[in-house]
Amino acid sequence: MTATEQRLYVFAYIDTHWAPCGQLTLTEDGEKLLASTFAYGTRYLERPGALEVDPVSLSLRDKNAVRGKALFPPNNLSMFGGIRDAAPDAWGRRVIESRLKVPANSLPESTYLLHAGSQRVGALDIRPSRNSDSTLGYGTWDNLQYLMEAAQRIDEGLPVPANLEDIFAEGSPLGGARPKATVRDNEQVLWLAKFQSQRDALVVPVVETATLQLAAAAGLTVPPVRLIHLGARAVMLIRRFDRYWAKPDEDAPLPEDLLSTAPAAGLVEKRLGFVSGLTLVACDEMESPDKSYADLAQAIRRYCHPRVIRQNNRELFERLVFNIFVSNDDDHLRNHGFVWDPHLRGWRLSPLYDVMPRASSASERRLHLGVGPEGRVATLDNAFAGREIFTLSAKAAAGSIARIWGTVRNWKARFEEYKVPPDQIEKITPAFRHIDDVSTPALRKLIP
């Protein structure tokens, strides 16, 4: 095969409508992406509310620096982080492959980008031409049962029947490894529905819902989550935190809590730009295990709005502590996100998502990302030793640990309150750590 160039068009959702943002050129050799370039449109740069594709390599802090230029990804990467975040991940690719009836991982990146639909995460869309229309890209409450059935068939490697194919095509623009679909409820609010997988030893939707509710009780920023049952199957619903409802004017006053907004007369749905931690750290996915929470803290300091840097770094530290207590070792860089906050007109840490305890009998456990000076070792002492990168004093870090532990120590009672079945509680119990198991007596003396 010889390398070919594909020219695609990136659109950004500004206030109430899509605007052509720039041209993306991909150099591909079959399914292998070799390189990419991006050029912002001149008219787009003149827009007052122009959203940057990502703050690392496609920043709009100095528009003159990017005007009329072909831009390249950082660190010799083949793809821009902001574009990569708008692409389907493992599950979304499986859906596209099922729809196109091709083997796994056999399509060029341009095909995956074009088939992800306009309801992909964030405020970007990728289309074949400047004149291409957006797609709906979501299911509804009424066909959630059918979405689940189609997801189950794809999860099992079975073909999707024609009567389910069209429905599922509209509800599958997001990535991640687990079966899921985007749906609107009866009030038209957008949710992500996460289904059970045939490979799950636990009823994951039930346990993940309860874990996020536990995190919210501990004071972490969590989107609204719900658990529903379709027949005997549980479905987790997490509200899309990259959508909100407001008046159709960029300068109109915004509600303080965007996630509390709902459809009402005179309001329209708007979008928040989204980038992952992988983008802000500017590395390849294969490099993620070599990165750390310190890298994320530095990225917050570099790219987030100055007004939220201190608060965001404290919350990141508290999420690290929570992950240690619940043994969530799926804390890779894609599972940390950032949104463009219209209040600040700058980036900030997104709400928490994709947190799942992992039962283990090991006395020493590790997270995916580096925790502190001792690397990935999941202990509070390791996290506490690295507190200064989060701009936390010893007293502040100890206070955060105390607050998280004060909630997590009662996790079993809370899971019972959240209606987690006894057999699921028993299975997940080895994931939860007692403070005595993850800290030294010297550190516990500092914790109020």
Side-chain angles (χ1 to χ4, degrees), residues 9-14 16-20 99 113-120 122-138 169-170 173 184 243 269 271:
Y9 288 82
V10 178
F11 285 69
Y13 201 81
I14 309 296
T16 61
H17 62 280
W18 290 106
R99 189 188 313 157
L113 281 169
L114 290 172
H115 281 79
S118 300
Q119 287 292 354
R120 66 188 84 206
L124 300 180
D125 197 12
I126 291 91
R127 305 180 193 172
S129 76
R130 282 177 56 91
N131 301 318
S132 303
D133 294 327
S134 62
T135 60
L136 288 176
Y138 58 82
E170 293 304 320
R184 287 197 187 277
R243 302 290 190 269
E269 186 179 59
R271 303 181 179 218

